[in-house]
Amino acid sequence: MTEVSVTKDALPAADDLVVLKNVNKHFGALHVLQDIDLTIARGEVVVVIGPSGSGKSTLCRAINRLESIESGFITIDGKPLPEEGKALARLRADVGMVFQSFNLFAHKTVLENVMLGQLKVRKADKKDAEEKARGLLDRVGVSAQADKYPAQLSGGQQQRVAIARALAMGPKVMLFDEPTSALDPEMINEVLEVMQQLARDGMTMVVVTHEMGFARSAANRVVFMADGRIVEEAVPDQFFSNPRSDRAKDFLSKILHH
Ligand SMILES: Nc1ncnc2c1ncn2[C@@H]1O[C@H](COP(=O)(O)OP(=O)(O)OP(=O)(O)O)[C@@H](O)[C@H]1O
Ligand SMILES: [Mg+2]
């Protein structure tokens, strides 16, 4: 038994796409990521939930190396995260990220927003980039908006463009950090539906969200964080109907009853 687990530690399984091992990070005296061990399989959808300040965004940002870590390691598809330079730019292209705010380039059209990374980072041919961008805009349901500027779109449309832009890089994994929390209620579903479809298509996804309906229907696993630690992880049904830790029980009673 021991031998098997030693081998597994040394050689991640081929299906492990994102591996965090013993990851630690502080902001000053605040220990924001504490001994985080998390392995995400190819095609898996992991929903991360937890109280404000528990480290969910920092976790996402560490996976994309927008934040450095102090100890432990993170690998994407078997490769350690590069420190800087071109290798880091390529890594970032493998990890798509969608934030709460849409972060589209205001002075570029929707189509140009979705083409830009392909041209700059992937060095794609312009015609190919445009074809791919139009296909993705169609996939997220905003192809009619291709020639508009971001400010001319609704929040839900902008967020779907942001998803198309991330997908245009051909990422291996997509990180979503509260992608619907800045949206008006009537626009939340159109974004969640795009994410649901992406999950059904087999995309590997890490999703920080308060949308428990999405977690129940799309997640393979729920990871509950509190105070910089992963306190509990389980399949959604088990987590929502039978949380084990007091922290998770307390958190669920607050968000499910208001
Ligand atoms: N750049 C920073 N400098 C200092 N402290 C930070 C920084 N970024 C985050 N923190 C602190 O680290 C802790 C974790 O923050 P993080 O944003 O990861 O939490 P979160 O779980 O995403 O919270 P929320 O649900 O409010 O988005 C918080 O206490 C936060 O104030
Ligand atoms: Mg956050």
Side-chain angles (χ1 to χ4, degrees):
M1 281 302 278
T2 317
E3 273 168 21
V4 171
S5 68
V6 167
T7 314
K8 193 172 181 303
D9 275 354
L11 284 176
D15 259 7
D16 293 347
L17 185 58
V18 181
V19 177
L20 291 87
K21 200 96 196 143
N22 263 311
V23 169
N24 282 280
K25 172 158 189 90
H26 290 78
F27 284 119
L30 194 63
H31 199 170
V32 278
L33 296 178
Q34 305 193 31
D35 296 323
I36 300 288
D37 282 325
L38 179 64
T39 297
I40 298 160
R42 217 176 286 278
E44 194 180 13
V45 177
V46 172
V47 162
V48 180
I49 66 174
S52 180
S54 56
K56 306 178 300 293
S57 293
T58 308
L59 177 78
C60 284
R61 293 168 60 80
I63 294 174
N64 204 11
R65 222 193 167 289
L66 292 168
E67 296 285 359
S68 60
I69 59 173
E70 289 143 14
S71 64
F73 68 83
I74 303 177
T75 59
I76 309 285
D77 212 2
K79 290 192 285 280
L81 291 196
E83 290 290 315
E84 54 194 14
K86 283 206 172 127
L88 181 56
R90 270 198 301 276
L91 174 274
R92 290 241 172 87
D94 282 345
V95 182
M97 182 130 185
V98 176
F99 302 88
Q100 179 174 333
S101 53
F102 323 123
N103 297 116
L104 296 172
F105 297 110
H107 303 290
K108 304 230 174 261
T109 66
V110 163
L111 183 69
E112 286 165 348
N113 264 280
V114 182
M115 288 173 64
L116 200 65
Q118 299 184 70
L119 300 174
K120 298 266 186 224
V121 179
R122 295 296 197 202
K123 307 289 178 209
D125 172 81
K126 195 159 178 220
K127 193 164 148 284
D128 294 344
E130 177 171 342
E131 200 177 300
K132 185 166 187 181
R134 289 195 187 277
L136 285 168
L137 289 173
D138 192 41
R139 186 167 160 195
V140 302
V142 291
S143 51
Q145 321 295 330
D147 299 319
K148 291 189 182 162
Y149 287 87
Q152 297 172 288
L153 270 57
S154 73
Q157 289 172 329
Q158 288 186 58
Q159 195 60 309
R160 285 182 284 149
V161 173
I163 294 172
R165 185 178 59 172
L167 290 174
M169 305 297 278
K172 292 176 177 167
V173 52
M174 287 280 287
L175 310 178
F176 293 87
D177 190 359
E178 302 204 25
T180 60
S181 38
L183 296 176
D184 292 336
E186 71 271 22
M187 292 167 192
I188 291 175
N189 278 336
E190 65 192 45
V191 173
L192 291 178
E193 273 160 26
V194 167
M195 293 166 60
Q196 289 270 12
Q197 187 57 48
L198 206 54
R200 283 195 291 269
D201 292 344
M203 177 59 79
T204 309
M205 295 163 60
V206 178
V207 184
V208 179
T209 185
H210 298 301
E211 296 294 332
M212 297 302 130
F214 176 85
R216 274 183 182 277
S217 59
N220 299 109
R221 185 161 39 131
V222 173
V223 167
F224 174 72
M225 288 185 77
D227 298 331
R229 291 183 188 278
I230 294 178
V231 173
E232 191 165 337
E233 42 185 318
V235 295
D237 264 358
Q238 190 187 329
F239 179 79
F240 290 114
S241 59
N242 196 13
R244 294 186 304 269
S245 63
D246 290 341
R247 290 303 298 266
K249 284 177 194 161
D250 182 52
F251 177 78
L252 285 176
S253 72
K254 282 181 186 135
I255 57 161
L256 298 176
H257 302 139
H258 81 232

